[in-house]
Amino acid sequence: MIMSDRVTVSIIKADVGSVCGHSRPHPKMMESCREVLRDGLRAGTVNDFYVTRVGDDINLFMTHNRGENSKDVHGLAWEAFKAATKLAKEMKMYAAGQDILKDAFSGNVRGMGPGSAEMEFKERGAEPLIFFMADKTEPSAYSMPLSRVFMDPYTTTGLVIDPRAHVGFKFEIVDVIDSKKIVMSAPEESYDILSLLGDTTRYAIKRIWSKHDDIGIGAVISTDKLNLTAGKYVGKDDPVAIVRCQSGLPAVGEVLQPFMFPQLVAGWMRGSHYGAWFPCSVDNSDPTFFDGPPRVCALGMMISNGKFQGCEDPVHDVGVHRPIDFFAGSEWDGARAKAMKASIYMRQHGPFMPGILGPEEMEYTTRPAVLCKLKDRMENID
Ligand code: 13P
Ligand code: 13P
Ligand code: MG
Ligand code: MG
């Protein structure tokens, strides 16, 4: 195959089991993923990797030159998740192998359970990326913050004052019910874009590109399971997103700012509740209150000559990537407190909407069985 001079950044993620409910993968599972990726590095399948997690989801960050949907890269991730699943089963982890829906790999993780977000670009002089990872929610959770980042001048002043951001952005939006997609253009179609994205049960952003000639991709979100299951529900995705920043794209700070608002997102507890998503560090991403509240983490790294460049501790771990963990600091305590207040309020609805999701979105339901049982007692109203 022809290796591209463009770099591809891939996140492939899966929940293959966790300690004590849907909480945190065992460290041995994370290490077994690292071992498989180290082999992939030696074999030249990937240029670099970083393994992390949010809640119970293992996230594999990889760089390579094989383009999106590479069979080799997806196959490597699949092997890593299979190895972690084997350990999870041996250790009797909770929901071991949860996102491994198929037995045999068939060329791409799409449709097989794991989620993926990938972007390919020609490396600029500096390439800052933010990796968002969410647990207990769905891809459309990113619609509100990312439409603010790429469309709202009160969030991203760069849309007004940076000539390259000023030309605006294109959005690929997916309709998960009819399995359709459309590319729309902001700012001209902003209101039409929001008219779709406001329905978070049906529409989600897949990709955002700069409309400036030299820049290319700005953001990508994992929407795999939604596409797979259009019309039929098999669980929340716990989606990831990659956002490319600065120099004609929104600045890092502009990208992070909307997460100060802990919006209500779908997918908490049994995939069936609304809760306020809680910005936090990776270490603080264990779901601790009613299997949540839904978490979102933001990790910052550079892409440098096709590899990751984070920070490192020169004394202890030279060569080890250490992303900036943006939501770790006390600046985000206010948002976390608000998220807890809103989530506790939502819990007080018990099994009533809008504490629970609408009927077509519930991951668990007894409704058909209850209606079946009551069939003969149901009478017409005169
Ligand atoms: P510096 O002047 O620190 O490079 O910051 C520029 C910028 O865009 C900050 O958002
Ligand atoms: P996960 O999707 O994170 O596995 O959570 C499932 C669940 O139902 C938690 O209550
Ligand atoms: Mg789980
Ligand atoms: Mg999860």
Side-chain angles (χ1 to χ4, degrees), residues 246-247 250-254:
Q246 305 284 152
S247 311
V252 167
E254 289 167 337

Side-chain angles (χ1 to χ4, degrees), residues 15 22 56-57 98 135-136 236 238 267-271 290-291 363-364:
D15 173 351
H22 295 275
D56 58 1
D57 293 275
Q98 174 177 293
D135 189 29
K136 313 291 185 259
K236 293 294 173 205
D238 298 344
W268 182 21
M269 178 54 92
R270 299 173 184 272
F290 197 61
D291 282 4
E363 187 169 338
Y364 289 70

